Amino acid sequence: MTADPHAFVSAENHYARFRPRYPDDLYVLLADRFGLDGTQHVLDLGCGPGTVALELAGLAGTVVAVDPAAGMLEQGRVLAGERGIHNIRWQQGDSNALLSLCLPPLDLVVMAKSYHWMDRVQVLDDLGRVTTEQAGIVILSAGPPGTTALPGWAPVVAEVRAAYLGTARRAGSGTYPEPEQTYQTTVERSPFPTVEVVPFDQIVVRSTEELIGLQLSNSYSTPAQLGDRQEAFEEDLRRALLAYDPSGRYEETIRTEALIATR
C-alpha cells in the first residue's frame, strides 16, 4: 500500500465510528458463493479497523486482518474484544510484502477501498501464489470516486473542505492517484480473470455530527491534515450543513459494488 500509513493514525477512531457497514446481503452472497462453513482461511487485506474482518469472522475458521497502520489494527482488536470474537489474526503488514506475511493457503481474499492504494497488478499476482485453486478475490466498492451519484449535501462538504485543504484530492502527504484503468480491466488480466460485479444499495441517514465525523475519517480530510484548524473546520462545516438542511438529517444512497474474481 503506497499511502503513508501515519496519515491515517489520527483518523482511526473516526473511521471505526462513522464509516458505514457493508450490507448484510453481501456476506450472505460471499458465504453462499464460496461455501463458507466456519473452516476456511480468509484474508482481509488493508483491513482498517476490521469493518469486513469482524463480519467474516463468524463465517470462516480464521480471518487474517492485515493493515500497515498499527492504530487501525488496535481499533480492530478493541472491537473484536467487545464482540467476543477470537478467530481474527491482526497483523501489521504491507501489500508490497504480501509473500513475507506467512499466510495460510487462502480460500477468500477481500479488499475494500484499500485496493486503490496498492500496486494493483503485483498484489493480484502475489495472491495467485497464496490462494487455493477454488479461492475468490473480492474488491468492494470497486472503482474510484465519482462512479456513483453524489448526495445533495456533497457539494456543501466539498466547498468547506476546499476552503481549508484546497481543491486537489489529498491523500496522506500527497494527492489521490487516479487509476489509469478500471479495476475490472486490471483483474481480468490477472490470475483471476473470471469476473462478476454485484451491486448492493443501502440508504444511510446521518446526523450532522455523524456526517462531520465521516469527513474526518477520509484520507483527504484527516485531523492530521487539518491540524490546529480542525475545530474551525468542524464549526464551519456544521454551520454550512445546517444552512443546507436545518433538520440535521442527511440521507445518502450508498452503492457497494462487489467485484468477485476467480481463476
Side-chain angles (χ1 to χ4, degrees):
M1 298 155 208
T2 56
D4 178 3
H6 297 292
F8 294 86
V9 172
S10 58
E12 63 215 12
N13 186 263
H14 297 289
Y15 196 114
R17 291 178 60 195
F18 298 112
R19 289 292 180 98
R21 293 179 63 252
Y22 291 106
D24 291 338
D25 286 349
L26 167 66
Y27 300 103
V28 172
L29 172 67
L30 296 183
D32 180 66
R33 182 69 178 272
F34 296 103
L36 301 181
D37 59 6
T39 63
Q40 288 78 15
H41 297 299
V42 176
L43 171 65
D44 182 1
L45 185 57
C47 64
T51 306
V52 174
L54 292 164
E55 303 289 345
L56 289 176
L59 302 172
T62 302
V63 177
V64 183
V66 174
D67 199 273
M72 287 292 191
L73 296 172
E74 184 55 33
Q75 285 286 324
R77 290 187 187 97
V78 169
L79 292 171
E82 292 174 351
R83 301 181 192 184
I85 296 172
H86 305 292
N87 63 330
I88 301 178
R89 187 177 101 197
W90 303 96
Q91 184 167 345
Q92 189 169 8
D94 193 288
S95 62
N96 292 327
L98 188 63
L99 299 181
S100 67
L101 296 180
C102 300
L103 299 168
L106 300 169
D107 301 295
L108 176 64
V109 178
V110 180
M111 297 170 280
K113 293 182 179 179
S114 60
Y115 182 65
H116 177 81
W117 305 104
M118 302 176 190
D119 182 331
R120 292 182 284 277
V121 173
Q122 186 62 55
V123 76
L124 292 173
D125 287 343
D126 289 345
L127 288 173
R129 300 172 60 181
V130 296
T131 50
T132 66
E133 284 299 314
Q134 296 75 33
I137 305 296
V138 179
I139 303 171
L140 300 177
S141 295
T147 56
T148 57
L150 294 175
W153 47 259
V156 177
V157 173
E159 183 176 355
V160 175
R161 184 173 61 238
Y164 280 82
L165 298 172
T167 57
R169 189 179 177 89
R170 295 185 175 217
S173 57
T175 57
Y176 184 91
E178 295 292 346
E180 296 180 358
Q181 61 184 13
T182 66
Y183 294 171
Q184 184 164 345
T185 298
T186 301
V187 175
E188 287 174 342
R189 296 172 178 172
S190 79
F192 306 92
T194 303
V195 174
E196 175 187 6
V197 178
V198 182
F200 299 89
D201 288 340
Q202 60 181 328
I203 296 175
V204 175
V205 180
R206 300 183 179 91
S207 69
T208 306
E209 298 311 310
E210 287 170 335
L211 192 50
I212 293 171
L214 178 68
Q215 307 317 307
L216 297 173
S217 80
N218 291 324
S219 64
Y220 45 85
S221 52
T222 64
Q225 290 168 335
L226 290 162
D228 58 10
R229 298 183 298 166
Q230 179 181 336
E231 185 175 348
F233 170 81
E234 291 184 36
E235 183 55 36
D236 283 349
L237 182 53
R238 184 178 297 108
R239 186 181 302 111
L241 287 170
L242 290 173
Y244 167 76
D245 187 344
S247 73
R249 288 172 55 84
Y250 307 94
E251 183 174 303
E252 178 182 12
T253 299
I254 299 177
R255 166 155 289 195
T256 297
E257 291 185 342
L259 189 157
I260 303 172
T262 55
R263 295 184 193 275

